[in-house]
C-alpha cells in the first residue's frame, strides 16, 4: 500500500483554503475546512459543495442482456428508465459486497456506473470479467464530480443554469450544457438533504467549483462533515459498514436486491436466507454525548455480542449514534446495548433508521 | 498565578494551594470540534499524570491526565452542556477542574509557558 496518493483537480484549491487533508481511498482529500460541525450545519441549512472527483465512473455501451451486464448487479439494469438512476450492489460468489454503486441510464444501450474510490480498480476488474460483450471503459480520470447538497442547492443551481434543474425528481438526472460542456446533473447525494451530483469533464471541474463558491449561500464541506451527514440518515459507508465479508441481507439492505433476476451471489444469498444470518446490522442511539466509534465493542449481559462499524456524535440529535453488527436476537428496536472501549462504556438502545428525519432530501 | 503544562497538553494554573486544570489551545485545536467532556467527581483524588477525565471530538477520543496530584474541589460542569467552550477558550473559560495540590514539588515535572511553546515547535 505504498502507492502514491492521487490528487483531484481541486486539490490545490483545498490547500489554498487551508483544509485539513488526509488519505481516503487512495486519494489526498479534504477532511475539513472551517470545522466539521460548522460544515455539517451549513449543509443542513444552506448549500455545501463537496469535491467528489475521487469516486470512480465507468461507461458501458452495448446490449445489456447479450453482454451479461444484466446479471452483474443485484438489480436490473435494463429496467432503469432513461434519465433515472438506481442503487444496488456488485456481489462476489459468496454474496459479499464488492461494492455499492449507482447506475445511470444514459441511453437505450448505455449506462454510467458510479463506484467508490478505494474499490474502483477491483470493481472494474470484477465487472469486466463477467462481461461477454459491449464496450466497457473506465472514465474516472477524465470525469470530474462535484456534489452540491443542502436545502438551498436547487435555488443556487437554477440561478446559474436555468429552470430545467428545478424539476428533476429524486434519483433522476438531466444531461445539459454547463460551462460549454456536456454535464450530468443528478438529483442524488449522500447527506439526506436536497442535493445534486454533477458530473462533467475533469478539465472543467475547477471552473465549476469556483463558480459555485462565488455564491455566498455555498461553502465547501469536507469528508468529515460528509461522514456525519450520511450517518445521521443511516447510509452505509463501504469499507466500514459493508464489505466483501458482509451480505446485503446482514446489512439490512435486502431492498436493493432483486431475487426475481439472476445475479452473481444470488445462490449464496438464497442459502443464507434459508439458514438465517448469524449477525444483523443495528442502529443505536447512545444516552449522552459520547461518540461510539469504529471497532468499539457492542456488549449485552456482560458478553461481547458485536462491534461498531460507524459512530459519531450527531449534532442534530445532540447525542452519540452508531451502526454495528450483533447477533440477530439483539437486533430488535428498543433492545438495550452497552458500547464499550477500554475504560469507556456507554448505554445505548437499538433504534430505527434514519436517526435524523428532518432532511430536505425529497423536498 | 503561574501556569504549567504537561507533554500531553494539559495546563495547570496555580493560585495558592489550588491548581485550575484544562487542556491547551493547541490540544483543543488539534482535536477539532469538541462534543463531550467527562469531568472528574468532586472529592476524587487524582495522581499526577493519572487519568482525570476524558474529552471527545468529532475526530477523536482522548484521556485528560492530571498535571498534579491532589483532591478535586471544583469542576466546570457548564462543559457537560456546552463542551464547545473548550474550543472557544481552552485556557480560560474551558477549564475543567480545580485540584487541591498535594505536593507542590511535582510542579518541577511540568513545563513553563516558554518551555511548552518551545516543545510545540518540536512536534
Amino acid at each position: 500500500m505504498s502507492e502514491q496518493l492521487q490528487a483531484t483537480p481541486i486539490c490545490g484549491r483545498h490547500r489554498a483554503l487551508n483544509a485539513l487533508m488526509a488519505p481516503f481511498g487512495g486519494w489526498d482529500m479534504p477532511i475539513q475546512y472551517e470545522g466539521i460541525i460548522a460544515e455539517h450545519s451549513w449543509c443542513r441549512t444552506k448549500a455545501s459543495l463537496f469535491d467528489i472527483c475521487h469516486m470512480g465512473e465507468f461507461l458501458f455501451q452495448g446490449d445489456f442482456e447479450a453482454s451479461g451486464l444484466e446479471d452483474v448487479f443485484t438489480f436490473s439494469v435494463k429496467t432503469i428508465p432513461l434519465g433515472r438512476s438506481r442503487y444496488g450492489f456488485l456481489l462476489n460468489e459468496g454474496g459479499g459486497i464488492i461494492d455499492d454503486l449507482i447506475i445511470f441510464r444514459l441511453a437505450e444501450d448505455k449506462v454510467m456506473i458510479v463506484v467508490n474510490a478505494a474499490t474502483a480498480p477491483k470493481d472494474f476488474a470484477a465487472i469486466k470479467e463477467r462481461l461477454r460483450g459491449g464496450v466497457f471503459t473506465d472514465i474516472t480520470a477524465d470525469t470530474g464530480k462535484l456534489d452540491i447538497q443542502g436545502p438551498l442547492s436547487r435555488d443556487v443551481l437554477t440561478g446559474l443554469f436555468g429552470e430545467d434543474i428545478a424539476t428533476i425528481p429524486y434519483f433522476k438526472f438531466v444531461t445539459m450544457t454547463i460551462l460549454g460542456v456536456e454535464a450530468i446533473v443528478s438529483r442524488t447525494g449522500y447527506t439526506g438533504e436536497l442535493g445534486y451530483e454533477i458530473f462533467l469533464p475533469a478539465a472543467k471541474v475547477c471552473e465549476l467549483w469556483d463558480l459555485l463558491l462565488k455564491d455566498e449561500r455555498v461553502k465547501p464541506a469536507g469528508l468529515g462533515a460528509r461522514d456525519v451527514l450520511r450517518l445521521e440518515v443511516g447510509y452505509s459507508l463501504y469499507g466500514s459498514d459493508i464489505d466483501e465479508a458482509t451480505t446485503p441481507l446482514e446489512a439490512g439492505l435486502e431492498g436493493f436486491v432483486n431475487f426475481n433476476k439472476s445475479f452473481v451471489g444470488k445462490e449464496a444469498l438464497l442459502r443464507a436466507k434459508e439458514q438465517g444470518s448469524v449477525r444483523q446490522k443495528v442502529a443505536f442511539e447512545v444516552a449522552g454525548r459520547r461518540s461510539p466509534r469504529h471497532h468499539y465493542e457492542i456488549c449485552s449481559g456482560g458478553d461481547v455480542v458485536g462491534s461498531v462499524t460507524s459512530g459519531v456524535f450527531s449534532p442534530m440529535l445532540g447525542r452519540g449514534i452508531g451502526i454495528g453488527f450483533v447477533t440477530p436476537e439483539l437486533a430488535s428496536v428498543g433492545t438495550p446495548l452497552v458500547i464499550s472501549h477500554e475504560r469507556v462504556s456507554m448505554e445505548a438502545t437499538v433504534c430505527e433508521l434514519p436517526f435524523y428525519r428532518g432532511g430536505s432530501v425529497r423536498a | 498565578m503561574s501556569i504549567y503544562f504537561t507533554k500531553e497538553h494539559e495546563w495547570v494554573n496555580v493560585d495558592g494551594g489550588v491548581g485550575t486544570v484544562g487542556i491547551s489551545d493547541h490540544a483543543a485545536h488539534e482535536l477539532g470540534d469538541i462534543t463531550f467532556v467527562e469531568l472528574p467527581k468532586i472529592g476524587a483524588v487524582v495522581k499526577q499524570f493519572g487519568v482525570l477525565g476524558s474529552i471527545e471530538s468529532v475526530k477523536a477520543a482522548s484521556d485528560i491526565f492530571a498535571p498534579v496530584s491532589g483532591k478535586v474541589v471544583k469542576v466546570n460542569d457548564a462543559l457537560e452542556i456546552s463542551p464547545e467552550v473548550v474550543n472557544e477558550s481552552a485556557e480560560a473559560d474551558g477549564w475543567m477542574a480545580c485540584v487541591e495540590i498535594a505536593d507542590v514539588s511535582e510542579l518541577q515535572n511540568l513545563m513553563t509557558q516558554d518551555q511548552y511553546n518551545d516543545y510545540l515547535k518540536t512536534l
Side-chain angles (χ1 to χ4, degrees):
Chain A
M1 297 298 277
S2 63
E3 213 175 308
Q4 266 232 305
L5 288 179
Q6 302 189 73
T8 78
I10 321 280
C11 199
R13 282 160 170 78
H14 300 320
R15 294 195 181 283
L17 288 164
N18 213 9
L20 173 70
M21 305 291 288
F24 181 84
W27 294 73
D28 189 23
M29 296 300 290
I31 301 304
Q32 65 174 61
Y33 304 86
E34 57 174 318
I36 291 172
I37 290 186
E39 290 161 35
H40 161 277
S41 155
W42 193 266
C43 185
R44 290 260 180 260
T45 53
K46 306 275 179 47
S48 293
L49 185 61
F50 299 84
D51 172 11
I52 308 297
C53 293
H54 60 307
M55 282 181 75
E57 294 90 8
F58 311 144
L59 273 186
F60 174 87
Q61 186 152 24
D63 185 312
F64 299 157
E65 290 193 273
S67 67
L69 186 77
E70 182 63 13
D71 299 333
V72 172
F73 309 101
T74 58
F75 55 101
S76 168
V77 176
K78 68 178 183 190
T79 60
I80 305 172
L82 283 178
R84 278 198 177 270
S85 54
R86 194 170 279 173
Y87 172 86
F89 306 105
L90 174 68
L91 301 183
N92 60 32
E93 291 286 351
I97 302 171
I98 296 175
D99 204 2
D100 64 335
L101 44 84
I102 295 183
I103 296 188
F104 294 73
R105 183 79 181 263
L106 302 180
E108 202 50 53
D109 63 343
K110 193 173 170 188
V111 290
M112 177 172 71
I113 304 165
V114 179
V115 303
N116 283 298
T119 48
K122 73 167 181 172
D123 295 347
F124 190 81
I127 297 167
K128 195 168 177 65
E129 201 194 320
R130 294 174 193 182
L131 292 174
R132 300 180 296 271
V135 180
F136 182 53
T137 45
D138 183 345
I139 57 164
T140 304
D142 302 323
T143 307
K145 178 175 184 285
L146 297 182
D147 290 8
I148 180 165
Q149 302 273 307
L152 302 186
S153 57
R154 179 190 282 141
D155 296 344
V156 170
L157 291 189
T158 52
L160 286 169
F161 306 122
E163 287 296 317
D164 279 1
I165 290 167
T167 53
I168 309 174
Y170 192 45
F171 267 82
K172 269 194 139 183
F173 65 89
V174 294
T175 304
M176 61 188 294
T177 303
I178 283 182
L179 302 172
V181 293
E182 189 173 279
I184 291 172
V185 179
S186 167
R187 175 82 190 277
T188 40
Y190 198 49
T191 61
E193 296 300 331
L194 170 67
Y196 303 84
E197 299 182 293
I198 307 174
F199 300 87
L200 78 173
K204 281 284 182 180
V205 74
C206 286
E207 202 179 320
L208 180 60
W209 173 269
D210 293 342
L211 179 65
L212 290 169
L213 284 184
K214 274 195 192 128
D215 191 314
E216 61 182 21
R217 294 169 292 183
V218 184
K219 283 189 180 184
L223 295 183
R226 189 172 160 91
D227 191 53
V228 180
L229 290 158
R230 70 93 192 168
L231 188 53
E232 283 186 328
V233 289
Y235 295 157
S236 300
L237 173 64
Y238 193 88
S240 292
D241 306 313
I242 50 176
D243 55 27
E244 289 220 40
T246 307
T247 69
L249 309 180
E250 295 165 323
L253 298 166
E254 193 177 336
F256 302 101
V257 179
N258 180 354
F259 283 100
N260 297 317
K261 65 179 278 287
S262 72
F263 58 87
V264 175
K266 182 179 176 180
E267 288 68 33
L269 291 191
L270 288 173
R271 268 198 310 278
K273 264 165 98 84
E274 217 174 83
Q275 292 163 357
S277 299
V278 291
R279 57 188 202 128
Q280 191 63 46
K281 181 174 90 178
V282 284
F284 54 84
E285 289 182 2
V286 170
R289 297 180 61 101
R290 270 197 197 275
S291 173
R293 291 170 202 270
H294 191 63
H295 291 319
Y296 280 17
E297 289 176 339
I298 302 178
C299 305
S300 172
D303 297 325
V304 178
V305 293
S307 74
V308 175
T309 54
S310 281
V312 291
F313 170 77
S314 162
M316 299 312 289
L317 279 73
R319 64 179 87 108
I321 57 171
I323 286 175
F325 286 79
V326 296
T327 46
E329 68 274 14
L330 294 166
S332 47
V333 171
T335 306
L337 298 171
V338 174
I339 311 302
S340 135
H341 177 70
E342 295 173 355
R343 65 175 191 86
V344 169
S345 101
M346 18 185 155
E347 311 262 317
T349 309
V350 176
C351 66
E352 280 177 38
L353 287 176
F355 298 103
Y356 171 65
R357 293 164 193 277
S360 55
V361 64
R362 288 172 189 276
Chain B
M1 291 211 292
S2 39
I3 191 164
Y4 299 88
F5 292 85
T6 68
K7 287 191 170 181
E8 302 286 342
H9 308 285
E10 292 88 7
W11 54 266
V12 55
N13 203 339
V14 182
D15 187 9
V18 174
T20 304
V21 176
I23 66 164
S24 71
D25 286 329
H26 169 84
H29 181 77
E30 287 295 303
L31 282 165
D33 292 315
I34 290 162
T35 52
F36 172 78
V37 178
E38 179 196 23
L39 300 167
K41 290 199 168 49
I42 291 176
V45 175
V46 294
K47 274 211 155 123
Q48 189 177 37
F49 307 134
V51 173
L52 176 78
S54 65
I55 191 159
E56 296 198 3
S57 71
V58 180
K59 282 187 280 190
S62 44
D63 284 331
I64 304 165
F65 300 102
V68 288
S69 303
K71 190 163 99 179
V72 175
V73 289
K74 216 163 122 185
V75 295
N76 185 3
D77 42 27
L79 300 183
E80 287 174 355
I81 302 155
S82 303
E84 66 277 4
V85 171
V86 181
N87 287 117
E88 292 155 10
S89 174
E91 294 183 17
D93 295 347
W95 67 277
M96 288 165 189
C98 292
V99 177
E100 220 169 58
I101 299 175
D103 178 0
V104 284
S105 73
E106 282 181 355
L107 296 172
Q108 291 166 14
N109 304 330
L110 305 175
M111 289 177 276
T112 63
Q113 179 81 64
D114 285 346
Q115 288 170 328
Y116 181 65
N117 292 347
D118 288 342
Y119 171 66
L120 289 182
K121 286 177 201 149
T122 67
L123 300 180

